[in-house]
Amino acid sequence: MPLFPGPPPNIYARKPSHLISKLKIALRGESLLSSPRLNKGTGFTQTERVAFGLHGRLPYQANTLNEQIERAYGQLQTRDSPIRKNTFLQSLKDQNWTLYYGLLSKHLKELVPIIYTPTQGDAIANYSHLFRRPDGLFLTFAEKDRMEAEFLEQTRGREMDLVVCTDAEAILGIGDQGVGGIGYPVSSFKMLDRLVGGLDPSKTLAVMLDVGTNNEELLNDPLYVGWRNRRVTGKDYDEFIDKFVQLVRKYYPHSLLHFEDFGVNNAYRLLHKYKDTHAAFNDDIQGTGAVTLACIMAAIGVSSRSSKRTSSPSNGNHTQGKRLSDQRYVIFGAGSAGMGIAVQVRDAMVAADGISREEANRRFWLIDREGLLYHREAQGETRGNGKHEWSKAKEEFVRPYKEKWSSVSSNAARDGVGNVSLLQVIETVKPTVLIGCSTAAGAFTE
C-alpha cells in the first residue's frame, strides 16, 4: 500500500502567470542563445523570435517544454554509462537552465543518482580530465590580493540568497579533491536547492576556495586545472577564509553562507567562528545531524511502544528505552558527518532529558579509520601513535582511560598498536543505536 494514497503532490507546480514578474532582457540574437539562464532553445515563440532577433538562428518549429524534455531524455538514454549521462547533463545545464531543470523534475528519481552521489563522486575525481566550461567562482590563494575584484566581477548586480563554499578537503567519501570539489556545490546543491527548496539558481553562488591539495595524484597530474601546491594551513589559511567570509558579509549580509565538505577540524572551527556574525550553515555537521536525530527519535517512539505491548508492567521494564539518554550509540565514522550526529544527538539529550553534557558524552562510542577513539594512558594520550590532532568537539567523546580499552585490543591481538575494531566495540558495548557514516565498504555485516 503506498504511503500517500492517490496521485503524488505536484511540488513542481508553476506559479500563476499573473504572479510571475516579467524580465527586461537587453540581450539579443546569439548573446541570448548563449545565456543558459535565459535561453529557451526551440521554446522561443514566433513573437519572441521577432523581438529578440532570433529568426534564422533557430529551426522554424517552436516546441513546448515537454517536447524539448522528451527530445533531451531520448538523447540522454543513448549514453551508456552513468558518468557519460552526468557529463551530458552538465553540458545541458551550461546551455539551457529551463530545459535542464525541466528534465530533472520529470525524471527526478532516476537522475538524482546521476547528478548526485554516487556518480558525481566519479565526475569530481576526474574533474580536470572532464573539464569543458567553468561554473562557479574560483578564488585561489595564490591570487588572494585580487579576491575582492574577482568576487565583485562575478556578483555585481545580482541578488544572492545562498553562497555555498568549499575548500574540497573532504569531498563526499573520497577525500581531498582539490579544485575538482567545485563540482559538488555547483551540480548537487544548485539542483537540490532548485528542485526541492525552490530557490532561484540565479540567486545562488558556488565558490571554490582553492588553497591547494595534498592529493598526490592531482599534484602529479599534468592536466590538473587547480593551483598545484600543497594545502595552505594555519594563519595563512585562516586569513584567506576570513577575507572571503567578510566579502560575503559586506556585500550580501542577508544571504546564507553554506560551508560544504571542509575537513572535520576546519569545519567545526569555521562554523563556530562565524555562526554569531552571519547566517552560517554546515550541511555535513548540522543537516546530517538533524535528520539522524529525527530518525532516532522516531525509532525510539516505535520501539518503546512495541516494548510496552510485549512487557509486563510488573517487571518494571516497560518504560525502558524511551529517552535519548537510555540508548548506547556506536558511530562508525568520526568525520564531519559522524561528529555532527554525535553533537546534535548529545545536545538534544541534554535539552530533553535534563542530564549533564559530560554524562551525555558517555553515551557515545566513536570509531574512525584507526578504530575506537579512546585514551591509552591516564594522562590522556590517544590510541595509536598519539599524534592525531583532535578537534575540541571530538575530544569530548574520547573514551576515558579507566575503561581499559587498551586491554580489549591487546587481548584480541588484532593489530598490536592498541586499535579497537568496530566488532570489538559492538561485542563489548552492545549498542542500541548503530550509525554508519563512513565510506569503508563492507564494514557492516548482518
Side-chain angles (χ1 to χ4, degrees):
M1 180 177 178
L3 185 60
F4 299 106
N10 182 11
I11 63 173
Y12 307 112
R14 302 298 188 266
K15 290 181 179 180
S17 58
H18 69 279
L19 294 180
I20 301 176
S21 57
K22 294 183 179 181
L23 296 176
K24 294 183 178 179
I25 305 300
L27 299 179
R28 288 176 55 82
E30 191 65 29
S31 297
L32 180 57
L33 295 177
S34 298
S35 169
R37 178 189 175 192
L38 302 173
N39 178 29
K40 296 196 295 183
T42 57
F44 285 106
T45 66
Q46 297 300 330
T47 301
E48 290 172 332
R49 296 180 188 201
V50 172
F52 294 118
L54 297 177
H55 271 297
R57 298 181 184 274
L58 292 169
Y60 173 79
Q61 185 64 47
N63 294 124
T64 65
L65 178 58
N66 281 333
E67 289 172 338
Q68 293 181 81
I69 289 173
E70 183 179 354
R71 179 192 299 128
Y73 186 69
Q75 295 169 353
L76 177 69
Q77 294 305 96
T78 65
R79 273 59 180 182
D80 56 5
S81 67
I83 191 66
R84 291 192 66 198
K85 291 182 178 181
N86 178 281
T87 55
F88 171 82
L89 290 170
Q90 295 305 317
S91 178
L92 180 61
K93 180 167 66 70
D94 290 340
Q95 300 170 50
N96 187 328
W97 282 8
T98 300
L99 180 54
Y100 172 74
Y101 287 112
L103 177 61
L104 291 181
S105 66
K106 193 166 185 177
H107 301 279
L108 186 61
K109 184 176 181 180
E110 176 185 349
L111 297 182
V112 163
I114 301 298
I115 60 174
Y116 196 54
T117 56
T119 308
Q120 188 60 15
D122 295 333
I124 290 171
N126 293 283
Y127 180 81
S128 293
H129 291 258
L130 298 173
F131 183 85
R132 292 178 182 173
R133 177 178 174 175
D135 192 358
L137 172 61
F138 297 83
L139 300 176
T140 306
F141 183 82
E143 301 173 334
K144 59 183 179 181
D145 292 339
R146 299 208 299 265
M147 182 187 292
E148 184 166 14
E150 293 170 357
F151 181 87
L152 291 175
E153 182 66 30
Q154 189 160 148
T155 62
R156 185 178 287 110
R158 292 176 59 183
E159 295 180 48
M160 206 69 68
D161 294 332
L162 173 67
V163 178
V164 184
C165 66
T166 183
D167 71 352
E169 185 178 4
I171 291 291
L172 297 170
I174 56 179
D176 186 346
Q177 294 301 314
V179 76
I182 188 67
Y184 194 48
V186 162
S187 65
S188 305
F189 281 96
K190 278 196 172 184
M191 179 275 293
L192 291 173
D193 292 334
R194 169 64 187 93
L195 295 178
V196 180
L199 289 180
D200 182 346
S202 68
K203 297 180 181 179
T204 65
L205 178 68
V207 182
M208 176 65 219
L209 299 169
D210 189 355
V211 292
T213 178
N214 292 336
N215 186 323
E216 293 292 342
E217 186 175 345
L218 296 179
L219 290 172
N220 296 321
D221 184 353
L223 294 182
Y224 180 58
V225 294
W227 182 43
R228 194 175 280 105
N229 199 82
R230 291 202 169 275
R231 282 189 171 272
V232 175
T233 60
K235 182 180 179 181
D236 288 340
Y237 175 90
D238 288 347
E239 290 178 348
F240 180 76
I241 300 296
D242 187 69
K243 188 172 184 178
F244 163 71
V245 173
Q246 299 312 322
L247 287 176
V248 175
R249 293 187 61 210
K250 178 179 179 181
Y251 293 105
Y252 298 99
H254 302 297
S255 66
L256 173 64
L257 178 58
H258 182 155
F259 293 102
E260 178 62 31
D261 285 337
F262 284 74
V264 60
N265 289 335
N266 285 330
Y268 271 90
R269 197 167 52 81
L270 294 175
L271 179 61
H272 285 274
K273 180 177 180 179
Y274 295 112
K275 68 176 184 178
D276 295 328
T277 58
H278 194 85
F281 175 73
N282 186 301
D283 181 58
D284 303 304
I285 296 172
Q286 295 167 298
T288 305
V291 171
T292 306
L293 172 60
C295 292
I296 293 171
M297 293 174 68
I300 289 175
V302 172
S303 62
S304 63
R305 287 195 298 272
S306 175
S307 175
K308 186 173 183 179
R309 286 195 299 268
T310 58
S311 300
S312 169
S314 61
N315 62 22
N317 292 329
H318 60 280
T319 59
Q320 187 174 357
K322 277 193 171 184
R323 304 188 307 165
L324 287 168
S325 56
D326 292 332
Q327 314 307 317
R328 297 181 298 281
Y329 303 85
V330 169
I331 301 179
F332 185 68
S336 294
M339 288 303 303
I341 292 169
V343 169
Q344 291 268 4
V345 177
R346 187 270 314 281
D347 290 349
M349 205 180 289
V350 172
D353 298 346
I355 64 175
S356 69
R357 184 185 181 103
E358 293 72 21
E359 188 180 355
N361 288 337
R362 298 281 69 83
R363 303 293 198 274
F364 296 87
W365 289 259
L366 270 59
I367 301 170
D368 67 6
R369 67 187 65 187
E370 297 176 8
L372 177 69
L373 309 186
Y374 72 96
H375 288 300
R376 296 178 64 199
E377 300 178 359
Q379 290 78 13
E381 182 183 346
T382 55
R383 87 286 183 266
N385 58 18
K387 296 179 180 178
H388 192 101
E389 293 183 3
W390 300 99
S391 67
K392 182 178 180 181
K394 186 179 289 187
E395 180 67 29
E396 290 189 82
F397 296 97
V398 178
R399 303 305 300 185
Y401 168 74
K402 65 182 180 181
E403 293 182 356
K404 303 297 183 184
W405 283 100
S406 294
S407 64
V408 173
S409 181
S410 61
N411 288 340
R414 300 284 176 94
D415 48 45
V417 294
N419 292 351
V420 181
S421 70
L422 170 63
L423 181 58
Q424 289 171 300
V425 174
I426 291 175
E427 291 173 339
T428 304
V429 175
K430 295 179 174 57
T432 60
V433 178
L434 179 60
I435 297 171
C437 42
S438 166
T439 55
F444 290 177
T445 64
E446 289 188 29

